[in-house]
Structure formats: C-alpha cells, structure tokens
Amino acid sequence: MVLHPADPLTSLAHGIGSQHDLPISPFYAFAGAFAALFVSFLALGLLWSTSRFRGERSGLALPAALQRVADAPATRTALRGLGLAAALAVLLHLLLGPDDPAHNPAPGAVYVLLWVGLVPASLLLGPVWRLLNPLRTLHRLLSRALRRRGRGPGRALPARLGQWPAAAGLFGFTWLELVAPDPASTTTLLIAITTYATAQLLLAARFGERWFDDGDAFEAYSALLARLSPLGRRSDGRLVLRNPFHGLDATPERPGLVATVCVLLGSTAYDGFSDNPSWINVLQTSPLGRTPTATLGLLASIALVATLYCLCAAATRLVSGPHPGPLTAFAHSLVPIALGYLIAHYFSLLVVEGPRTVSMALGTDNAPEPVPPLGPGGLAALQVIAVVTGHVLGVVAAHDRSVRLFPPAKAVAGQLPLLALMITYTVGGLSLLLN
C-alpha cells in the first residue's frame, strides 16, 4: 500500500490516521455489537411497555444561586467577549501568520478546537456555541450601532425552512474539511470564513437574531449534541440536571432535522472511508479529477445514510400504521449514533492536535509532541465501544418513542425496521474502523 504524504488535509481532517489494522478482532467486535443490539431490543420489548421520557418537563432543579450566576448579564457578556476575541485571534493568524498548518494555529482552531471541541463542550455544558458565537455577538453590536434592537422581530422565518440552512452549512463545512484541495491554506480559510460570516450577518439582518438558532450551522450542531447533555433547561426555564434521554426526547421535530443528522453521519462515514487505499486510487485515477470525484463521494455517502433512514421510516409506517410525521418522529434516535461516530473518529484528533494548536497559539512552537493517552488497543476498544453504545442508545430512544406513538400490539413490531437500520449502520461503522 502506498502511503499518502502527511499533507494538511490528512493531519487536520482525519482524527484516526492509523485506523486500519487496529489490534482488535473483527469477529469479537461484530459479535459484541450484534449481541448488544439484540439483547437491548428484546429487553426493551419485554420490560418497557410505556413511554418513560418526559422531554423538557423533567430535571432536578439546580440551586437558584447557580442559575443566577449562569444567567447573569456579566457572565453572558464575558462569554460573548471570549468568543469574539477568539474569532479575532484566528483572523489575525490567518492574515499575518505563515501559510503552514505546522506553524499556524488557525487551521487547528477551526478544524479541531471548534469542530471537534464543540462535541465535549456541548455534552458537558449544553448549547455553548449560542453564547460564544461571534457572529451573533457581532450582529448585536452592529444592530446597536445602527440603533436597532439586536433582538428585533425582523421578517418571519418560513416554517418550512426549519433546519435546512444549518444542514446546508454543515455540508459546506464538511466539504471544505474533506474535499477542498487545500483546506488548511490561510487563503482558503479566509475566503470560507468571510463568505460564511457575510451570508449569516445579512440573513440575520433580514430575519433578526433568531436566524442563528437554526440558520447557523455550528449553533444547530452544538444544540443537537447538547440534547444529550445532563445539563439543560426545563420548560419553565429552570436550569436542571436531567437524564440525557429526556433532553433527547425533547428534540424538536422540524423540517431539516433528518438532513442535519444525515450530513453528520454521512460526512463522518466518508471521512473514514476516504483513507481506504481503493478510494485513494479512485481519486488519483478518476477522469473527473480529484475534487469533483471526492464531492460525489461525499454526496453519495450522505445520500446513502438518508436513503436507508427514509426506507426504514416507510417500513415502520407500513408495519405500525399511519403516522403524520414518520421521517421526523424517530430522527432524534440518530443523534446518539452520530455522537458515537464523532467520538470514535475524532477522539485522537482532539487529544493530540488540540494541545498542539493551543501551544502554537501561546507561542510555544517548541513544545514536546503530545503523547496519545491511549495505545492502539485502547483506541480500538474506545472506537468500538463508542459506535456500539451510540446504536444501543438509539435503540432505547426509538423504542420509547414507538410505545408512545403506536398501540402496544404494533409498537415492538414497528421497531423491527429500526433495528435493521441500526444493524446496518453498525456494520458500516465497524467496517470503516476495522477494515
């Protein structure tokens, strides 16, 4: 096998560059995954006959003093200032720093600290990007400078728009990360950031600040992952500790939700497959050229994930009976699966490239090379556990929704297509890790 040179795309976009031939038996990995899925499905069918998740109505209220600190204007202003200062620092590094990701922290800040770092941050603290988002802060400052209310109503957003803008934005970012010819180039990043920021600010000027809730790709990404955070808001506004399943159950069934999750799943799957020697050979020999072929590969990966889910939703409706929204009803069950893939695929990227990026930003280029906290065996076990656990959590979320929507006689039977979908996704995910 001919190895690719260590270009910026390889070093920044692929969290597990040595993912092939990991020291774990494929037989035991697949056997354990199938056993976990079947046992959980049977146990749920026998022991879980009524819905137990209560969405935003659940949670143990945290002390009032803690909530006052979290909601204090000073706290929120400090976080907005931190996000804006970090964005300005990245821009300065892009404008003034060397065009070399080994000596410029800006590419690592975008592809590692932002894209991957939002995963643990949102899981632990909730939708943090809503407060850190420099575009939201800049919109407020511009609105005040123009003597307009930053939270003005603006024009009404079409209800059918939903999260489709966020899905499109996430696709654009993953295309930049995985397909663009030189994603770590300062010129490429400057053009991408300027274009995205301009579009977001213009749309926020038209529709008001609420545009960022679903229109900003990173806010939607953070909010979706935060559904599995133990820290959340109850429907009465109280800050609470909760079972993450309750937050997941409260995921709004909006247009574009399925597309958003499928972009996350499909792009992560493509990132894993893009290291395969056969695909590298296709890219190098395709008459279309590398970038068009890679774009088609990314689109095909996302389309495959979406098609399988749509077929599953149609089969569920056929088995269990009519339902007004079969596509969005079970879309929340894909979120833990996407999270499992993100952890499996990007864990090593975060723990190795994250500290290196921070060291460069602090001016310590001669810092020692970060040592991965896990060896190959530990990394392989973490990847398999993350993928399998994500699917098991998806089975639990889908089962609870099924017993709520359908009669008892059809609830379990209606989950058979979902179980088949989970098995298919599991086979695909583990195959990418262990091939």
Side-chain angles (χ1 to χ4, degrees), residues 104-121:
N104 191 327
V110 174
Y111 294 122
V112 181
L113 299 183
L114 173 60
W115 177 242
V116 186
L118 270 181
V119 176

Side-chain angles (χ1 to χ4, degrees), residues 9-357:
L9 179 62
T10 301
S11 63
L12 287 177
H14 297 90
I16 38 178
S18 301
Q19 65 182 345
H20 303 296
D21 300 323
L22 290 173
I24 189 170
S25 168
F27 172 79
Y28 289 115
F30 284 111
F34 293 154
L37 288 173
F38 277 113
V39 169
S40 60
F41 176 79
L42 292 175
L44 291 170
L46 294 174
L47 305 175
W48 198 309
S49 58
T50 59
S51 176
R52 303 183 184 184
F53 302 147
R54 295 179 291 134
E56 294 179 343
R57 301 190 307 274
S58 66
L60 177 64
L62 292 173
L66 182 60
Q67 175 151 354
R68 284 195 297 270
V69 172
D71 293 339
T75 302
R76 293 174 175 265
T77 300
L79 291 173
R80 294 188 185 105
L82 178 63
L84 188 59
L88 290 175
V90 170
L91 286 176
L92 287 175
H93 280 291
L94 289 174
L95 290 169
L96 306 177
D99 192 6
D100 180 4
H103 298 93
N104 191 327
V110 174
Y111 294 122
V112 181
L113 299 183
L114 173 60
W115 177 242
V116 186
L118 270 181
V119 176
S122 301
L123 284 178
L124 293 174
L125 303 174
V128 292
W129 192 245
R130 194 175 192 278
L131 289 176
L132 294 172
N133 188 352
L135 296 180
R136 185 185 284 267
T137 302
L138 191 57
H139 169 73
R140 287 191 173 194
L141 294 175
L142 291 174
S143 297
R144 290 176 183 176
L146 297 174
R147 297 183 178 180
R148 295 174 53 190
R149 295 170 54 197
R151 294 181 178 270
R155 298 191 181 186
L157 280 165
R160 64 181 180 277
L161 198 61
Q163 288 189 331
W164 280 105
L170 286 173
F171 174 78
F173 180 83
T174 54
W175 182 91
L176 176 69
E177 179 193 21
L178 304 174
V179 176
D182 195 3
S185 163
T186 54
T187 302
T188 301
L189 281 173
L190 276 172
I191 293 174
I193 291 174
T194 302
T195 303
Y196 183 77
T198 301
Q200 288 290 310
L201 291 173
L202 289 176
L203 288 165
R206 177 183 177 88
F207 294 110
E209 188 177 333
R210 66 178 176 274
W211 163 262
F212 294 105
D213 293 338
D214 292 318
D216 182 82
F218 298 100
E219 280 204 18
Y221 172 58
S222 176
L224 197 60
L225 295 174
R227 291 291 171 183
L228 285 166
S229 173
L231 188 67
R233 295 274 180 177
R234 211 163 52 193
S235 55
D236 60 2
R238 287 299 302 271
L239 193 65
V240 296
L241 285 177
R242 66 187 181 189
N243 180 340
F245 278 114
H246 293 300
L248 183 63
D249 185 68
T251 304
E253 297 180 28
R254 307 193 59 197
L257 173 62
V258 174
T260 301
V261 181
C262 288
V263 168
L264 289 177
L265 283 170
S267 61
T268 307
Y270 175 78
D271 195 359
F273 180 71
S274 63
D275 282 338
N276 191 289
S278 60
W279 179 245
I280 293 174
N281 184 62
V282 169
L283 292 179
Q284 293 174 339
T285 59
S286 172
L288 296 176
R290 179 198 173 279
T291 301
T293 304
T295 301
L296 291 175
L298 178 61
L299 286 170
S301 181
I302 296 171
L304 177 61
V305 171
T307 300
L308 291 174
Y309 177 76
C310 291
L311 290 174
C312 170
T316 299
R317 186 172 187 173
L318 182 65
V319 173
S320 298
H323 186 271
L327 279 179
T328 56
F330 295 95
H332 70 299
S333 65
L334 299 183
V335 176
I337 300 174
L339 175 62
Y341 284 171
L342 289 168
I343 292 174
H345 200 70
Y346 293 120
F347 171 79
S348 62
L349 178 67
L350 180 62
V351 299
V352 174
E353 294 294 339
R356 179 181 298 160
T357 299

